[in-house]
Amino acid sequence: MESLPIISLSELEKASPEEIKKLYDVCYEHGFFYIKEHGIGSEIINQTIDASRKFFKLPEDVKLNYRHDIQKVYPKHCRGYSPLYGELLDGEQADPKEIFDLGIERPLSEQPFTGPTVIPDDSIAPGFASSHYQLQNEILTKVVPKLLKGLALALGLEANWFDKYFIDPTFIHRTVYYPPGFGKAGKHTDTGIFTVLIQEYFPTPSLRVYTKDKWIDVPCIEDTFVINLGDMLQSWTKDLFVSTPHEVIHNRPDDDRVSIPIFVFPNIETIIQPLGTTETIPSKEVMLNNFLSIWETGEGSGRAKELV
């Protein structure tokens, strides 16, 4: 495969047999695809990218006021700001990128990944919080339910099969800043059900995906999002659908780049039972183990250890 297929979210919502078959094929073969007709306007996307860039341009000492260790949610690394070389995705070298993570705003809880984010207000970063939370709600209401319906139908399940596992889902909602010339995210797989990636448009690609036997570039296509399946869905489908390795290499010498990946997980207490088995996998344990692997043991994200 030289390029990723494009799936129509509106056709998935209509349960189009042709689109469901197309979704099955790409999830079985590659686990990476574009979605179009997602219903989210370009204005909020551009506002969020612009507000993110302005945040990352702030002085380092200002951004560090929102760093991991002052966050309230456990684990602290799931929220807030991390500077260049703060995160290690591939298990080998820390990434030359800056990140800010937030989640769905909820009261502070003993549950991991649950609670408020310490985030700059408009006096520090105008529009940063409001645009991200608006965009997050759009993804939560317009993309996630339709894609879950499509995945269920592709698996031969009832259209609402996943609904009970996403009554109160968990998001790791990230904005990433890649500096000009040397921005990078090391090769890895994602851990969740799927990731919704909003790419800033550039004529040259930075995202690369490993499809079976070779790496291919993933160009920006206007008015689309990139979707990639995560390890959790691969496990849930007993390896029928695949979670695919990917990396980012941003080497445009004169341009920085902002991207917004939203990592989608089920309700925090979900117990995953791979289809056709009696095996059980606690979602919360998978998430915590992945954060331990990235931020404490340095083994990288997802199946990064298999990719080095």
Side-chain angles (χ1 to χ4, degrees), residues 4 42 51-52 60-61 63 69 84 101 119-120 131 136 142-143 150 169 224 228 232-233 255 278 294 297:
L4 301 181
S42 59
S52 297
E60 191 73 4
D61 61 336
K63 292 182 288 188
D69 63 6
L84 283 173
D101 286 328
I119 190 170
S131 61
Q136 179 188 102
K142 294 181 178 179
V143 174
T224 68
N228 66 279
M232 201 176 282
L233 187 61
D255 299 304
T278 57
I294 295 170
T297 65

Side-chain angles (χ1 to χ4, degrees), residues 13 40 58 66 117 125 137 139 173 183 196 228 232 235 240 307:
E13 186 180 22
I40 300 178
L58 290 171
Y66 307 95
T117 303
N137 186 65
I139 297 292
H173 171 157
V196 181
N228 66 279
M232 201 176 282
S235 296
L240 181 67
L307 308 173

Side-chain angles (χ1 to χ4, degrees), residues 3-14:
S3 62
L4 301 181
I6 302 174
I7 301 290
S8 166
L9 205 56
S10 64
E11 290 299 307
L12 288 186
E13 186 180 22
K14 298 173 190 174

Side-chain angles (χ1 to χ4, degrees), residues 127-269:
F128 182 69
S130 60
S131 61
H132 271 286
Y133 286 125
Q134 183 181 343
L135 180 60
Q136 179 188 102
N137 186 65
E138 296 270 286
I139 297 292
L140 181 62
T141 57
K142 294 181 178 179
V143 174
V144 172
K146 296 173 187 176
L147 192 48
L148 288 171
K149 176 182 177 178
L151 289 168
L153 292 172
L155 289 164
L157 304 169
E158 294 294 325
N160 64 353
W161 191 87
F162 281 109
D163 289 2
K164 61 182 174 293
Y165 301 107
F166 287 84
I167 295 169
D168 197 16
T170 302
F171 276 13
I172 305 296
H173 171 157
R174 169 170 289 191
T175 182
V176 188
Y177 175 81
Y178 296 104
F182 68 103
K184 185 177 180 181
K187 54 185 181 292
H188 64 286
T189 60
D190 292 347
T191 313
I193 300 298
F194 56 79
T195 302
V196 181
L197 174 64
I198 300 168
Q199 296 191 90
E200 184 175 24
Y201 181 80
F202 279 101
T204 54
S206 297
L207 177 63
R208 302 175 73 237
V209 174
Y210 191 75
T211 59
K212 297 290 186 183
D213 58 355
K214 65 179 178 180
W215 288 91
I216 66 167
D217 291 328
V218 181
C220 300
I221 299 177
E222 291 190 276
D223 300 320
T224 68
F225 299 153
V226 175
I227 304 293
N228 66 279
L229 307 186
D231 296 346
M232 201 176 282
L233 187 61
Q234 178 168 319
S235 296
W236 213 333
T237 63
K238 197 64 177 173
D239 297 335
L240 181 67
F241 289 174
V242 295
S243 169
T244 304
H246 52 285
E247 65 182 357
V248 175
I249 300 175
H250 177 66
N251 53 18
R252 288 176 66 91
D254 300 319
D255 299 304
D256 54 13
R257 183 173 198 150
V258 173
S259 67
I260 304 170
I262 299 178
F263 307 94
V264 178
F265 297 84
N267 310 333
I268 196 67
E269 292 285 12

